[in-house]
Amino acid sequence: MAVHLRIVSLTVTTPEAEQTYRFDRPATVITGPIGTGKSSLLMLFKHALGGNAMLTPAVREHVLSVQAEVVAGDERVVLRRTIEGDTADTVDLLDPYSLSLERSLPVRASEGATTLSDYLLDALGFPREQIAARREGAARPQNLTFNDLYTYVYLQAREIDRQVVGHLDRWFETKRKELFRLMFGLTDSALMELKRTRNQLLERLNTRDAEHKNVSAFLAASDPRSDDELRAELTQLRDALGRANSVLIRLRTELEEQTAADTALRDELQTAIRSARAAEEEVSAAAELVEARQAVVAQVHLDLSRLARSATAIDQLSPFEFVICPRCTQPLAARPVEDGHCLVCLQPDPSEADIDPAAIEETRTALEQQLEDAQRIQQADEAHLQTAQERSQQLSFAVSSLRRELDAQTRDAVAPRFDAIAEASSRVAALKASIDAITHLRESWARVRAIDADIRSIKAERKGVNRDIKEKSDRLKASQSLLGDLSTEFGRLLTSWNLPWVETAVIDRDSYLPVVNGQPFESLQASGGGLATSVNLAYSLTLLTSGVDHADVLAPSLLVIDSPRKAFGNNPSDRQRAAQIYSRFRTLADAYGDRLQLIIADNDPPPITSDAFGKVEFDYENPMVPGVDHPGPDRVTRLESQIENASEA
């Protein structure tokens, strides 16, 4: 049966007022002059249900929020959404009795969050599915949302004579078809999962094909040899490497044997080197000691010289009593001097012991003995230094001699082997580099083979998935008969309106779109917008009634139509055709009652009357947005009348 969706009421709130519009009848016609808000009211339905609606400046400037009471499945739902601001990205779910806030649901999908679309689809009992889709060359499954389903519900005025359920929007084409298949049982969750798997396999196949192409291009550009040729050459190189390693091992063995013969001489040379180093260290220590002895002797000489000068000064100057300064010749008699201090330098007079000739002589004797001892030790240290230097020179000569002897012994036997070893090592390194290069190329060939195997595996899996899709589709072909009935009913309804030039009308089994006289919908526009509008109406009405009549069909039970008489003229034929369309509306409302709902926006009142029809009427005095003066023609007349009355008064 149809997914039951019904709009009970819509409340529009502005800063000045609040107005509730109710839709209690099976069909409701919203009428009024151009610009009074009929289309805006329908857009507010879409906005309240989480859609991206085109809202007029009047709505954006004056309306704060919109609140919709909706029946979705068996659940009564109240939704409130602001017009502008950050909160416009969420819809408040209110308690239907107290209108208290239960929770807010995001409009856009985010990781781990339940959106308004999820909530409404679950309430309707419509399956939440992902469809196989590709974006930017990659397989990225897309969610089927309530807003996608609402495209089958809402016939916008600007689209009603241009496209059917958004079929000209390429981005929506896949979703439109999958929604149709879901509604009419032409697909199910298992089949859609198979299609997503097929899409993913196609992406993997394309990726591996591109990788195969890139690696093959690299191999062709880097080396023309085939994998078999590389394998044969690799075998030859490995054999050559084995032989080169054998030669290198033999040369190194011979060198080690020759080196063993020179071991004794090498040991003697090492011993001589160690002895020479020890002798050099001994020379360095002896030289430092001699230098220290020389410093001691020099210091004793200085002490003797200082003592001699002091004794001479005492002997020659002590008898004199200075009355003038010996430097500047100024008189010293008037100079204040403390007792016991020198009249010239003002220092304390020396003690008797310091100027005693016997004490001075005793000191001189001690210093002369110290000098004699120091000179004797210095001479002994200098003799030791000379001996150490001579021994160091002898050991250095011995080291040089042993080195010359070792060089003479190894020059003819070792040097040629070193050259041969270097050449053999270079040969081994070159062979290893060639083996590494070929191994790298063979790894690329192995990668090509692995990619080939993966491609074959993906193709086999894809073939199996395609087979499963075909089998599953064949099992669902029973629903094709329903599609045939749908096409027949569409043709019957359209031809009953006596449209000019219409001879045949069917619903295409592949595109699920109306085809008139064998031509697609867009070709009808050459015959006029009224014809295209009529075809679109007949198509949507047929889907609507099919959902109500068939238990297995999940088409929504609501149809919102903006301007069903768009591009209709006012001649008798067009008025009659409009009456036929409205007669169909009345027939559906009378026959199905509350099992379906029609909400129709039209400039003029309907050309028929029926108790099943409710009315919402707008004019320039009472536009859709409450509490806002409308700049309509009547307002100008009203202002002129007010001015005239004021003048008379």
Side-chain angles (χ1 to χ4, degrees):
M1 60 179 296
V3 290
H4 188 53
L5 177 63
R6 185 178 187 86
I7 297 175
V8 178
S9 67
L10 189 78
T11 300
V12 180
T13 301
T14 69
E16 294 80 15
E18 185 174 271
Q19 179 67 48
T20 298
Y21 302 101
R22 301 198 63 82
F23 307 91
D24 299 321
R25 305 290 181 85
T28 301
V29 179
I30 306 167
T31 64
I34 294 174
T36 53
K38 303 182 300 298
S39 296
S40 293
L41 185 63
L42 303 188
M43 280 293 177
L44 287 175
F45 291 161
K46 184 177 181 180
H47 183 75
L49 292 169
N52 185 20
M54 294 184 299
L55 303 178
T56 63
V59 171
R60 292 191 178 279
E61 291 172 8
H62 299 289
V63 177
L64 298 177
S65 65
V66 61
Q67 179 176 302
E69 182 179 350
V70 178
V71 175
D74 297 328
E75 187 173 350
R76 184 183 171 201
V77 180
V78 178
L79 305 172
R80 181 179 62 203
R81 186 180 182 186
T82 59
I83 300 300
E84 298 284 358
D86 296 338
T87 56
D89 290 333
T90 60
V91 176
D92 293 336
L93 181 63
L94 308 181
D95 181 89
Y97 302 102
S98 66
L99 297 184
S100 60
L101 177 64
E102 292 185 346
R103 55 175 166 157
S104 295
L105 298 171
V107 171
R108 296 178 180 85
S110 59
E111 187 68 26
T114 299
T115 64
L116 177 65
S117 171
D118 298 332
Y119 178 84
L120 290 175
L121 288 178
D122 290 343
L124 291 171
F126 196 88
R128 279 200 276 155
E129 293 289 350
Q130 285 185 326
I131 62 170
R134 298 183 66 80
R135 285 182 292 177
E136 300 176 355
R140 292 188 174 93
Q142 296 182 9
N143 293 326
L144 289 176
T145 67
F146 175 81
N147 290 326
D148 298 329
L149 183 63
Y150 197 73
T151 308
Y152 273 94
V153 171
Y154 183 20
L155 276 66
Q156 298 184 40
R158 69 187 186 97
E159 304 292 347
I160 197 169
D161 60 345
R162 193 179 77 88
Q163 61 178 335
V164 179
V165 197
H167 81 283
L168 295 181
D169 296 332
R170 299 299 300 272
W171 64 270
F172 185 65
E173 181 69 1
T174 303
K175 284 189 171 184
R176 180 188 66 80
K177 289 183 178 180
E178 287 299 330
L179 281 167
F180 189 96
R181 295 186 186 106
L182 277 172
M183 287 191 295
F184 290 92
L186 301 175
T187 190
D188 59 14
S189 298
L191 182 56
M192 296 182 75
E193 176 63 27
L194 287 171
K195 289 181 178 180
R196 289 195 295 271
T197 301
R198 180 176 62 183
N199 215 34
Q200 293 166 358
L201 289 173
L202 178 60
E203 181 184 10
R204 285 178 53 197
L205 183 60
N206 290 338
T207 300
R208 297 303 269 171
D209 280 337
E211 190 176 359
H212 187 280
K213 181 179 178 180
N214 291 336
V215 177
S216 298
F218 164 76
L219 288 171
S222 59
D223 200 299
R225 291 170 292 182
S226 67
D227 189 35
D228 292 336
E229 291 172 333
L230 291 171
R231 182 171 58 251
E233 186 170 345
L234 184 61
T235 301
Q236 295 174 358
L237 287 172
R238 285 172 175 166
D239 291 341
L241 178 62
R243 293 192 296 271
N245 275 325
S246 298
V247 171
L248 183 60
I249 291 171
R250 177 175 56 78
L251 289 171
R252 285 175 174 168
T253 301
E254 292 175 357
L255 181 62
E256 290 174 358
E257 291 174 353
Q258 181 63 39
T259 303
D262 301 330
T263 301
L265 185 57
R266 291 179 185 278
D267 292 344
E268 185 179 353
L269 174 61
Q270 293 298 323
T271 301
I273 290 173
R274 287 193 295 272
S275 299
R277 288 175 180 168
E280 290 175 356
E281 293 173 356
E282 185 179 358
V283 168
S284 178
E288 292 177 358
L289 186 59
V290 167
E291 186 177 354
R293 301 303 185 194
Q294 290 173 345
V296 171
V297 170
Q299 183 63 45
V300 175
H301 276 298
L302 288 174
D303 292 343
L304 284 171
S305 178
R306 188 182 304 109
L307 183 63
R309 288 194 302 274
S310 177
T312 300
I314 292 172
D315 289 340
Q316 295 181 1
L317 299 178
S318 294
F320 297 99
E321 185 74 25
F322 288 91
V323 293
I324 62 173
C325 177
R327 180 177 180 277
C328 64
T329 69
Q330 295 186 63
L332 301 174
R335 189 179 190 186
V337 180
E338 295 182 9
D339 292 339
H341 286 71
C342 176
L343 185 64
V344 177
C345 66
L346 302 181
Q347 295 186 78
D349 292 333
S351 63
E352 293 295 331
D354 292 336
I355 60 175
D356 184 11
I360 293 173
E361 183 62 27
E362 183 179 354
T363 301
R364 180 185 297 110
T365 301
L367 288 173
E368 289 175 347
Q369 182 63 43
Q370 184 178 355
L371 176 62
E372 181 181 352
D373 293 340
Q375 288 175 337
R376 184 174 60 255
I377 295 172
Q378 177 183 349
Q379 291 173 356
D381 290 341
E382 288 175 347
H384 176 69
L385 173 61
Q386 184 176 0
T387 302
Q389 289 173 337
E390 291 174 353
R391 184 169 179 272
S392 176
Q393 292 174 355
Q394 292 172 357
L395 289 172
S396 296
F397 178 77
V399 168
S400 299
S401 299
L402 288 171
R403 280 177 173 164
R404 285 194 298 272
E405 184 179 354
L406 181 61
D407 291 342
Q409 289 184 9
T410 58
R411 183 167 47 251
D412 296 333
V414 176
R417 287 183 172 84
F418 273 129
D419 293 339
I421 288 173
E423 183 179 353
S425 297
S426 177
R427 171 68 173 163
V428 168
L431 289 170
K432 286 182 177 179
S434 298
I435 289 172
D436 288 342
I438 291 179
T439 301
H440 180 69
L441 288 172
R442 292 210 65 210
E443 287 174 353
S444 296
W445 278 108
R447 185 179 174 191
V448 169
R449 291 193 297 273
I451 294 172
D452 283 334
D454 198 16
I455 288 174
R456 290 193 298 272
S457 175
I458 293 172
K459 286 182 176 179
E461 187 177 356
R462 188 163 173 255
K463 183 179 180 181
V465 170
N466 283 331
R467 183 177 60 251
D468 292 342
I469 289 175
K470 184 178 183 305
E471 292 176 356
K472 183 68 175 174
S473 299
D474 289 342
R475 288 197 295 270
L476 292 171
K477 276 187 177 179
S479 299
Q480 293 289 343
S481 60
L482 179 59
L483 183 58
D485 296 340
L486 189 71
S487 180
T488 301
E489 180 60 28
F490 165 69
R492 183 183 299 116
L493 175 60
L494 191 61
T495 55
S496 71
W497 289 346
N498 298 318
L499 295 167
W501 312 112
V502 174
E503 298 177 1
T504 62
V506 297
I507 294 177
D508 186 78
R509 289 180 175 270
D510 295 322
S511 67
Y512 313 120
L513 293 172
V515 175
V516 177
N517 298 336
Q519 298 299 317
F521 179 82
E522 47 268 28
S523 67
L524 300 177
Q525 293 174 332
S527 301
L531 178 60
T533 300
S534 299
V535 171
N536 208 351
L537 285 170
Y539 178 80
S540 294
L541 290 171
T542 303
L543 300 188
L544 176 68
T545 56
S546 179
V548 179
D549 290 336
H550 295 85
D552 297 332
V553 174
L554 297 178
S557 63
L558 169 66
L559 187 60
V560 178
I561 307 169
D562 193 353
S563 303
R565 289 182 279 185
K566 183 179 180 181
F568 279 33
N570 199 32
N571 58 64
S573 296
D574 286 339
R575 289 199 300 271
Q576 180 184 2
R577 193 166 295 111
Q580 290 174 330
I581 291 174
Y582 268 92
S583 177
R584 181 62 177 174
F585 293 159
R586 181 181 60 189
T587 299
L588 295 178
D590 291 339
Y592 293 103
D594 290 338
R595 295 170 61 195
L596 57 72
Q597 184 180 30
L598 296 169
I599 299 177
I600 306 152
D602 207 342
N603 289 340
D604 299 320
I608 59 171
T609 58
S610 172
D611 292 338
F613 275 53
K615 291 184 180 181
V616 174
E617 297 179 290
F618 298 134
D619 53 35
Y620 293 121
E621 293 287 342
N622 299 287
M624 186 273 295
V625 180
V628 176
D629 288 338
H630 192 287
D634 293 345
R635 185 185 178 199
V636 176
T637 303
R638 185 173 66 253
L639 290 174
E640 291 176 348
S641 177
Q642 291 175 353
I643 293 172
E644 183 178 352
N645 293 335
S647 299
E648 292 176 354

